[in-house]
């Protein structure tokens, strides 16, 4: 038989799927894969049910339901002062994952270079490779996850087609600051590059940090694609409703890729997300405040169990340096030991590095009910007491 595609052939199963399966096998609390254990707002779910019952449930417009595209444009104006034409500058996709894939396939030509920032979310690199493009990796430096300016400058060159920026960032919990955003914008302008901004955690930012879309910086609107996800903004990760905002020419190109990936996204879910995006500011503030309390609960608990916890300014995630507690193998070994012996699931941060990874960090997810976090902490305490 002829071989299958070699990029696809080289892929494993995602670390999130692997760790979630291990949690089931070991009856462990799953603080690995990032999903809330409480479903999002009832009115949003009711809106979906109503739309499904009333119909129509046939193909919606390829770009997305007008009511949702209008809501996305209004959301951009309300939160970031962005003026967006809903007809030509907004595209609805089946999750941010599809938005990322469609954007990369739409913009990249074989041989183009793409700057990716490590630790890197797992779906970016495979698509860059499938498009025949060449990754240029730049590593953030833990524990502060600082962006090394000289290395970023060196990663840009005449072939740099685009950079992918994830802020607030998975897995680090980093929110890129004004100086870092200005540097990225300067380099993108100087090299005539695009930036794909994965902003799925835009509404999960904690006290002391602020999310500023790169798109709002001078002259960046024309070269930036901004991606959001209803999964994260409404705690409904299984819905897979994503959205893209950008210049009309870019959105037009991405729509051409999207029409042959999924074409459309379930209309009932789109209608419900339109309803959700119109919720008042209190909803969005409350979402971040509730998540910040969960972060604090988990971070305090992890410290109490003897972990060294790295800063987390946003997202669902806090990372720990395992070294004070673990001198066995690397982070994969530690994650396996924890799921089996402490019965708590996590994600080894090395999974976010395609090359030679640091192997001393684990990612824990805090978007869980307080009682679940408390039980996980009690198990980790008992485990660290037993080995310490
Ligand atoms: N980007 C990042 C950084 C994520 O963490 C996730 C999901 N967890 C996604 C994209 C995918 O979002 P969606 O579920 O909307 O496809
Ligand atoms: N993005 C989620 C995480 O980082 C998982 C999504 C997935 O399982 N593909 O945990």
């Amino acid at each position: 038989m002829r071989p299958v595609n070699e990029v696809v052939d080289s892929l494993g199963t995602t670390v999130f799927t692997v760790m979630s399966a291990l949690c089931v096998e070991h009856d462990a609390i799953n603080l690995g894969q990032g999903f809330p254990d409480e479903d999002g707002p009832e009115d949003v779910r009711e809106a979906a049910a109503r739309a499904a019952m009333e119909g129509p449930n046939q193909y919606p417009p390829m770009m997305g339901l007008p009511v949702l595209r209008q809501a996305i444009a209004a959301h951009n104006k309300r939160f970031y002062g962005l003026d967006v034409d809903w007809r030509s500058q907004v595209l609805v996709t089946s999750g941010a994952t599809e938005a990322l894939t469609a954007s990369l396939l739409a913009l990249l030509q074989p041989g183009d270079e793409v700057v990716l920032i490590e630790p890197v979310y797992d779906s970016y690199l495979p698509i860059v490779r499938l498009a025949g493009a060449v990754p240029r990796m730049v590593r953030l430096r833990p524990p502060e996850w600082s962006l090394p300016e000289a290395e970023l400058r060196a990663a840009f060159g005449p072939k740099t087609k685009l950079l992918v920026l994830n802020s607030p960032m998975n897995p680090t919990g980093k929110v890129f600051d004004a100086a870092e955003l200005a540097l990225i914008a300067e380099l993108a302008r100087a090299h005539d590059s695009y930036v794909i901004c994965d902003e799925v955690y835009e509404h999960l930012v904690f006290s002391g940090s602020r999310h500023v879309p790169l798109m709002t910086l001078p002259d960046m609107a024309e070269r930036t694609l901004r991606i959001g996800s209803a999964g994260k903004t409404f705690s409904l990760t299984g819905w897979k409703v994503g959205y893209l905002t950008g210049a009309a020419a870019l959105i037009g190109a991405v729509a051409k890729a999207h029409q042959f990936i999924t074409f459309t996204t379930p209309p009932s879910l789109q209608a419900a997300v339109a309803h959700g995006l119109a919720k008042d500011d209190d909803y969005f503030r409350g979402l971040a405040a509730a998540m910040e309390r969960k972060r604090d609960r988990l971070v305090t608990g992890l410290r109490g169990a003897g972990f060294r916890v790295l800063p987390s300014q946003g997202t669902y995630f806090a990372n720990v340096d395992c070294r004070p507690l673990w001198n066995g193998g690397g982070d994969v070994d530690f994650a396996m030991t924890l799921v089996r012996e402490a019965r708590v699931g996590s994600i080894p941060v090395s999974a976010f590095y395609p090359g030679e990874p640091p192997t001393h960090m684990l990612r824990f997810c805090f978007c869980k009910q307080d009682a679940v976090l408390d039980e996980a902490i009690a198990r980790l305490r008992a485990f660290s007491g037993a080995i310490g």
Side-chain angles (χ1 to χ4, degrees), residues 34 95-97 100 121 124 166 170 198 200-201 229 232 237 240-241:
T97 309
L100 284 157
Y121 182 62
Y124 304 170
N166 176 211
N170 179 7
D198 178 346
V200 300
Y201 299 102
S229 168
K232 305 296 186 301
T237 61
K240 301 296 282 187
V241 178

Side-chain angles (χ1 to χ4, degrees), residues 296-309:
D296 292 345
R297 196 175 195 96
L298 181 68
V299 166
T300 306
L302 287 170
R303 289 205 178 111
F307 286 92
R308 190 183 298 155
V309 187

Side-chain angles (χ1 to χ4, degrees), residues 62 98 102 105 254-264:
M62 183 271 279
E98 198 230 331
L105 293 180
V254 180
K256 289 184 190 175
H258 159 77
Q259 70 185 339
F260 296 130
I261 301 176
T262 57
F263 184 45
T264 60

Side-chain angles (χ1 to χ4, degrees), residues 16 33-34 121 170 317 363:
F16 310 115
Q33 191 176 27
Y121 182 62
N170 179 7
F317 311 113
R363 188 194 82 177

